[in-house]
Amino acid sequence: MYSVPKLKSFSEAALDKAVEKLLATLKTESKAVKNEEDWKAFRDRWMARKNGVLTQINDLWLKASPKDSKRDVGQRVNEIKAKVTEVVEGRQIKGISRAAVDSLEFRDSVRAEVTQRLDITLPGIRRPLGAEHPVIKTMHEIVSVFRNLGYSVQEGPVIETDYYNFEALNFPPNHPARDTQDTLFIARQESKPQRERLLLRTHTSPVQIRTMEKMKPPIRIVIPGVVHRNDPPDASHSPMFHQIEGLAVDTNITFCDLKGTLDHAMKALFGSSVKTSFRPSFFPFTEPSAEMLVSCFICGGSGKRNSEPCRPCKQTGWIEILGCGMVDPNVYAFVDYDPRKVSGFAFGMGADRIAILKYGVDDIQLFFNGDVRFLEQFG
Ligand code: DAH
């Protein structure tokens, strides 16, 4: 039986001879492989870490070689390793007939055959199923409630101009109402006229204007989207969050339509037993404006949960859920609508806040820091 010889000389001729002998042995031994057991023994003889032929040539040829032959020897050892691996792997194929393997013996096609073969006995690769993000899921739910009422969906840019985010929504330049929205401005816009300066939209309301510019009444739209404000992150604030806006403009739309629509939407979202309530508020683009509250669907409006104070409603039994109002006639002037002929209502709500309430999450940051262990609970 062949054993790796110690080399007396490292001359090219001596190396050629030794390599030739080794490869001839590889070929003969490979041909003798008849079944899986043979193959395992063959593999171990050549490739076992401890005392396999490859390990031996490493020790007896490469390590023992004088400095000036190391490169040459190293290269040959690498070639031998590649060939041995190829032959050993080639013999492993079970379905190919021995004659076919023999005839292909040292050919690359054997290797290709090996790698392309599908071994259905191997364990599968687990591909974890993705799930909708809880905030996106909530947004889809809200949108679908309004879709069922005949609303369509509009979207607009996240980087917005001062004009659409403020001016056309009846926030005049320098008006204190702008201070209610801690705005993130894009740098180096000072050379532009104020209305063209860019900012990250602070709400989805600018899409009301963009839609009314391109469509005539009747309008029934909802606008889901991302907004930004200069709020430091904490359990209830995030500089990036989500809103859903709504707008209905037509002839003879009244505050009754607003109340009926939103009351229906809240029942569809939180269950038919929730009650709604409105209290006066202010937004520059609606007149009158209101805040809508829903009876707390966590404590059922009692302000207490298991005799503990109910946190989400701060024991009041009511939760502020959105801002709304009748579209201010000044806004129609920006979009060439005639306020004597049309009227409408608008509303806007925070999707993240609604998701927090729906799922009983106590920190908004959990939605955005991408921990799969948190997110997969919603799958
Ligand atoms: N854009 C307002 C905000 O982000 C929310 C809002 C209030 C939207 C009243 C409306 C509305 O359309 O009518 O604070």
Side-chain angles (χ1 to χ4, degrees), residues 181 202-205 208 229 243 245-246 283 285-286 290 322-325 346-349:
Q181 310 212 342
T202 55
H203 49 180
T204 40
S205 308
Q208 291 189 23
R229 294 208 190 161
Q243 286 190 337
E245 186 89 12
F283 300 101
F285 41 93
T286 45
L322 55 78
C324 57
F347 57 88
M349 60 191 113

Side-chain angles (χ1 to χ4, degrees), residues 284-320:
F285 41 93
T286 45
E287 184 60 37
S289 304
E291 221 160 58
M292 185 170 78
L293 308 134
V294 292
S295 57
C296 183
F297 43 84
I298 291 151
C299 64
S302 68
K304 288 229 173 338
R305 199 158 43 141
N306 304 332
S307 73
E308 292 285 311
C310 178
R311 269 216 297 168
C313 67
K314 299 189 193 100
Q315 302 183 66
T316 63
W318 292 94
I319 294 177
E320 280 170 30

Side-chain angles (χ1 to χ4, degrees), residues 25 49 65 100 123 138 146 153 174 185 207 212 249 253 258 301 335-336 358 372 374 377:
T25 313
R49 240 162 239 267
S65 61
T138 304
F146 286 96
V153 177
N174 302 319
F185 294 93
V207 190
M212 287 192 282
V249 183
I253 297 234
L258 178 159
V335 294
D336 255 346
K358 261 180 91 95
V372 209
F374 170 74
Q377 298 176 73

